[in-house]
Amino acid sequence: MTTTPAVRARNLYKVFGRRPKDAVARLEAGASRTEAAGLGTAAVIDASFDVQPGEIFVVMGLSGSGKSTLIRMLNGLLEPTSGSVEVAGSAISDVPAKRLREVRRQNVSMVFQHFALLPHRTVIDNVAYGLEVQGVAKAARLAKAREVTEIVGLAGWEDKLPSQLSGGMQQRVGLARALAAETDILLMDEAFSALDPLIRREMQEQLVELQAKLGKTIVFITHDLNEAMFLGDRIAVMRDGRIVQIGTPEDILTDPANDYVAQFVQDVDRARVLTAASVMEPARAVVPLTVGPRGALRSLRDLQTAALFVTGRDRKLLGWVRDRHVMRQVKANDTDLAAIVNAEFSKVGPEAALVDLFELAVESPLPIAVVDGADRLLGVIPRVTLLAALGNVDTTTSPIPVLEPVTRISDVELDATLEGAIR
């Protein structure tokens, strides 16, 4: 079943100036922003994208890239020069003012950079203001306002004036007001850029938590790349009015569309963006429990490694075995490989951020195992791969390191064992 996008933009242009339609025609014919400047200033050029329900879609760009103009077209504050916008399946371009007000009231709320609070109203009255405009009864709107005020961490501050709050608390009021309106879509234009770094990070974390809990669709505008990488499920990068790339944070970081995007992301904290799934490698030094000690010994020899991961049914990871313990079993003619499986090892889920893997990598003699929710082995992250990912070093031309040595079996000893025990 196809899901209707929460927001759909198609071939959006916004030109300010004397002859905007002529400017669009020139741009559509291939003219650059500069070449069309004599006809008007092109703020947004041929922007197309879908935002899916429940997604955080970040539009990122430097000042003058067109991102703020773009978001204002998404709720009808600016009429496109050309192109169309749909919100929850309904067009908002070229519609009567009454219909546009209905869409804003029912579907879209906006959180502004400079809070836009009413200075002579208390926190609770600011939060309830949107519901008041909608005509909601006083008791009902205050009850809803108190509920969302608590959600954003302002319980106990309901009767304070905005001037009595810190910048971070004022922005929480703005966010609560948007949530109280009970719209499915939040548009946030540089909402955290006026905050100091510590409060900004706290607000980013709270926004992610709220989105996970409430399932809102969020279009977030920012010029800060690290903020975009932290918040976005997908990111649209804008330059000179055009969207030059749309992708996940990992896509943007690991496969930039052009030199501009590559330069933009070169200073990103990769450890906080990349995940285990994005850097893991196939687990080659792995055997099923059913092969027994002799089969494990053969794999140790073939793979030239000193340890193996051991899996059970459905590739569920049971643990690992060491070369000398396998040797001991083979010499003793013991067939129970399970008896020497060590269940202590480092494992993470595929969504784990690389920043959380450093300590595990240092402490473990083995690569970090990447497993799914059922403990099935998906791949491994050797220490060298982790370091290469952080340094943006390509390791694809080198042999994949499977397990780091714990101890080594001499060729003479192993050859003798194999000759005597595995025939």
Side-chain angles (χ1 to χ4, degrees):
M1 184 176 69
T2 303
T3 302
T4 300
V7 177
R8 168 169 284 175
R10 286 293 178 272
N11 307 113
L12 282 182
Y13 289 80
K14 184 60 183 178
V15 179
F16 300 95
R18 297 178 298 108
R19 299 163 58 188
K21 295 293 186 182
D22 291 339
V24 170
R26 286 285 303 277
L27 292 165
E28 289 178 331
S32 69
R33 193 186 203 183
T34 303
E35 291 168 340
L39 302 172
T41 301
V44 175
I45 304 171
D46 197 21
S48 296
F49 57 88
D50 290 344
V51 182
Q52 299 304 323
E55 180 179 28
I56 300 181
F57 185 84
V58 176
V59 182
M60 180 189 70
L62 300 176
S63 296
S65 62
K67 57 190 186 299
S68 291
T69 300
L70 177 61
I71 200 173
R72 280 161 171 73
M73 287 192 285
L74 300 185
N75 70 347
L77 288 175
L78 289 175
E79 182 73 20
T81 306
S82 181
S84 63
V85 177
E86 293 181 6
V87 173
S90 298
I92 65 167
S93 306
D94 297 321
V95 298
K98 180 181 179 181
R99 174 57 186 152
L100 184 57
R101 287 194 296 271
E102 289 176 354
V103 170
R104 289 176 181 162
R105 185 170 61 248
Q106 297 171 6
N107 301 109
V108 181
S109 297
M110 193 150 183
V111 183
F112 299 92
Q113 176 180 357
H114 294 293
F115 319 139
L117 303 182
L118 301 171
H120 302 299
R121 287 188 175 227
T122 63
V123 167
I124 197 71
D125 287 334
N126 265 286
V127 173
Y129 180 71
L131 297 175
E132 181 180 343
V133 171
Q134 294 179 25
V136 177
K138 184 175 182 178
R141 69 177 183 255
L142 289 179
K144 182 63 180 178
R146 290 186 186 279
E147 177 187 331
V148 296
T149 299
E150 183 173 354
I151 288 174
V152 300
L154 288 177
W157 294 84
E158 293 89 347
D159 298 326
K160 302 295 183 181
L161 293 172
S163 60
Q164 297 174 289
L165 307 179
S166 67
M169 296 173 78
Q170 289 182 48
Q171 192 57 285
R172 290 174 192 269
V173 177
L175 180 57
R177 181 175 56 195
L179 294 175
E182 295 191 310
T183 60
D184 293 329
I185 302 167
L186 299 183
L187 305 181
M188 305 183 71
D189 187 10
E190 298 274 11
F192 303 150
S193 63
L195 306 177
D196 67 57
L198 290 178
I199 296 176
R200 185 171 186 168
R201 185 65 176 190
E202 184 180 329
M203 288 298 297
Q204 292 167 3
E205 291 172 349
Q206 182 170 50
L207 181 64
V208 172
E209 291 173 5
L210 287 173
Q211 193 271 347
K213 182 187 301 181
L214 303 176
K216 300 291 185 180
T217 302
I218 300 172
V219 180
F220 193 99
I221 303 297
T222 184
H223 65 271
D224 186 289
L225 183 59
N226 282 309
E227 182 169 68
M229 292 285 178
F230 180 78
L231 292 175
D233 295 313
R234 287 188 301 144
I235 299 170
V237 182
M238 293 193 72
R239 182 188 188 189
D240 295 336
R242 297 182 184 273
I243 295 176
V244 295
Q245 185 171 3
I246 296 177
T248 66
E250 289 184 10
D251 292 338
I252 300 293
L253 187 58
T254 61
D255 190 22
N258 54 34
D259 290 342
Y260 174 78
V261 179
Q263 291 174 2
F264 213 106
V265 303
Q266 65 183 357
D267 294 326
V268 169
D269 185 352
R270 301 173 67 87
R272 296 188 180 278
V273 177
L274 297 177
T275 63
S278 66
V279 302
M280 69 181 184
E281 298 177 352
R284 300 189 180 180
V286 55
V287 293
L289 185 66
T290 53
V291 303
R294 295 180 180 180
L297 189 60
R298 183 182 294 277
S299 293
L300 287 165
R301 171 66 176 183
D302 292 345
L303 295 170
Q304 298 183 16
T305 187
L308 297 168
F309 282 121
V310 179
T311 58
R313 292 183 178 180
D314 298 325
R315 206 170 169 75
K316 183 175 181 179
L317 184 56
L318 303 177
W320 61 287
V321 291
R322 200 184 284 266
D323 49 8
R324 62 175 178 266
H325 298 151
V326 174
M327 289 275 299
R328 196 174 299 145
Q329 277 198 313
V330 171
K331 289 179 178 179
N333 204 26
D334 186 346
T335 60
D336 185 13
L337 186 62
I340 61 169
V341 171
N342 187 337
E344 294 184 5
F345 57 92
S346 298
K347 63 179 180 180
V348 297
E351 73 289 341
L354 296 197
V355 70
D356 298 323
L357 306 188
F358 295 125
E359 187 175 348
L360 295 177
V362 169
E363 293 179 348
S364 176
L366 301 168
I368 298 170
V370 183
V371 298
D372 65 12
D375 269 349
R376 289 186 293 261
L377 184 61
L378 303 176
V380 295
I381 306 176
R383 195 155 40 225
V384 66
T385 301
L386 178 62
L387 295 174
L390 296 178
N392 197 23
V393 176
D394 185 5
T395 62
T396 56
T397 58
S398 302
I400 296 176
V402 184
L403 286 174
E404 296 159 25
V406 181
T407 60
R408 297 303 302 172
I409 310 172
S410 73
D411 286 348
V412 173
E413 185 177 13
L414 186 52
D415 284 340
T417 304
L418 288 171
E419 184 177 351
I422 308 175
R423 283 186 174 176

